[in-house]
């Protein structure tokens, strides 16, 4: 999954200017990414990343390679090494075909098991900071294996990807979780951690589901440490945190009141 269209915090709001490191371009397309498109593709190599584009200006690919390098460092610092391969097709239809995805409306990027695929129309609407957050989010999914075949709760998968993406973005909590903050201020609090149905495309509370998951992971990292948050991927709440899920939910609800109320 990716950051949905409704996440206004980084999609349209932030205008920070990010520096672009010099990158080496050119070179042959690696064997495992050849044949992606009919016709020529352009390859740009970052310091530790690879961007392959089709019908995309070279400057845009170079910029993306720089972002991919930053994203890789962010993921590596929390989770561990990840192979940063980013595909930047000419159209959303090409992106959907590459990912084998049906509906991609509102997405800016998505992840497969070994690469990130940019959706041009959604990516174009992102702010500078928003692009960094989204690429880091999706690269986190590549590193972690996302839900690992359903063995990881969706709130943890999506919340952790957002946690890594936003960790060093410098955006205020109430800005990132603007939709959820509006509900909390109105006295409406979630009663459970978000599940798979809450992240379904078209859900009117999709933005809030991502924000809820992010703040749950942020709470765990603050209270128990990032290593405990990472360990949840191979364990459970009781074994890792010494809490029942019900107790975690109550702590999380209190956290939402403090942060967003």
């Amino acid at each position: 999954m990716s950051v949905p269209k409704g996440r206004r915090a980084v999609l349209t709001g932030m205008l920070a200017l990010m520096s672009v490191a010099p990158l080496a371009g050119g070179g042959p397309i690696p064997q495992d990414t050849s044949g992606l498109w009919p016709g020529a593709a352009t390859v740009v190599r970052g310091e530790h990343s690879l961007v392959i584009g089709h019908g995309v200006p070279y400057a845009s690919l170079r910029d993306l390679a720089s972002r991919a390098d930053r994203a890789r460092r962010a993921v590596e610092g929390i989770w561990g090494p990840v192979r940063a391969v980013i595909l930047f097709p000419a159209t959303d239809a090409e992106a959907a075909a590459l990912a084998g995805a049906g509906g991609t409306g509102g997405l800016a990027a998505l992840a497969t098991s070994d690469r990130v695929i940019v959706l041009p129309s959604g990516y174009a609407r992102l702010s500078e900071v928003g692009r960094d957050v989204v690429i880091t989010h999706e690269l986190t999914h590549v590193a972690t294996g996302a839900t690992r075949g359903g063995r990881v709760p969706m709130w943890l998968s999506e919340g952790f990807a957002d946690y890594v993406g936003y960790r060093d973005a410098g955006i205020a909590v109430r800005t990132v979780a603007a939709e959820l903050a509006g509900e909390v201020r109105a006295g409406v609090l979630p009663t459970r951690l978000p599940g798979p149905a809450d992240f379904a495309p078209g859900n009117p509370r999709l933005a809030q589901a991502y924000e809820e998951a992010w703040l749950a992971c942020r709470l765990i990292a603050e209270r128990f440490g990032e290593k405990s948050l990472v360990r949840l991927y191979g364990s459970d709440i009781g074994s890792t945190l010494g809490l029942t899920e019900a107790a975690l939910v109550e702590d999380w609800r209190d956290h939402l009141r403090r942060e967003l109320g």
Side-chain angles (χ1 to χ4, degrees):
M1 298 292 290
S2 180
V3 178
K5 186 177 180 179
R7 300 290 296 279
R8 65 173 179 256
V10 298
L11 303 197
T12 58
M14 305 301 293
L15 298 175
L17 298 176
M18 311 300 288
S19 62
V20 179
L23 299 169
I29 298 176
Q31 185 174 356
D32 66 343
T33 54
S34 62
L36 291 171
W37 300 287
T42 302
V43 177
V44 173
R45 300 178 189 277
E47 183 181 356
H48 294 288
S49 65
L50 183 71
V51 175
I52 304 172
H54 180 225
V56 179
Y58 182 81
S60 297
L61 301 178
R62 187 175 64 179
D63 176 76
L64 181 55
S66 181
R67 296 180 193 279
D69 280 334
R70 289 196 293 272
R72 179 186 175 276
R73 289 193 292 270
V75 175
E76 185 173 33
I78 298 174
W79 179 267
V82 60
R83 184 169 178 256
V85 176
I86 319 287
L87 308 183
F88 199 155
T91 66
D92 289 0
E94 280 187 356
L98 287 169
T104 59
L107 299 181
L110 50 81
T112 68
S113 61
D114 62 352
R115 62 197 60 176
V116 174
I117 301 170
V118 171
L119 284 98
S121 66
Y123 188 76
R125 291 192 294 268
L126 295 177
S127 68
E128 296 295 316
V129 172
R131 292 178 181 183
D132 283 336
V133 170
V134 165
I135 295 302
T136 305
H137 176 111
E138 298 303 336
L139 199 59
T140 302
H141 280 323
V142 174
T144 61
T147 61
R148 298 189 177 184
R151 297 191 298 276
V152 175
M154 188 72 79
W155 70 264
L156 176 57
S157 172
E158 295 299 340
F160 181 66
D162 263 3
Y163 174 79
V164 181
Y166 283 116
R167 182 176 180 269
D168 298 316
I171 309 175
V173 171
R174 291 181 185 225
T175 301
V176 175
E179 289 81 6
L180 185 58
E183 293 183 349
V184 172
R185 287 195 298 270
V188 179
L189 284 163
T191 58
R192 58 171 177 79
L193 294 165
D198 298 302
F199 294 98
N203 176 15
R205 291 192 73 258
L206 185 59
Q208 288 91 326
Y210 276 90
E211 293 159 9
E212 289 169 358
W214 170 62
L215 284 167
C217 288
R218 187 172 177 271
L219 169 64
I220 292 168
E222 288 180 353
R223 183 167 300 178
F224 300 95
E226 284 183 348
K227 291 183 179 179
S228 293
L229 179 59
V230 169
R231 282 199 298 272
L232 272 180
Y233 263 81
S235 185
D236 57 70
I237 292 170
S239 301
T240 305
L241 308 181
L243 298 175
T244 64
E245 183 168 330
L248 175 62
V249 168
E250 283 306 307
D251 287 348
W252 169 62
R253 283 164 53 88
D254 289 341
H255 184 67
L256 296 182
R257 291 187 189 98
R258 290 193 303 270
E259 293 284 343
L260 304 178

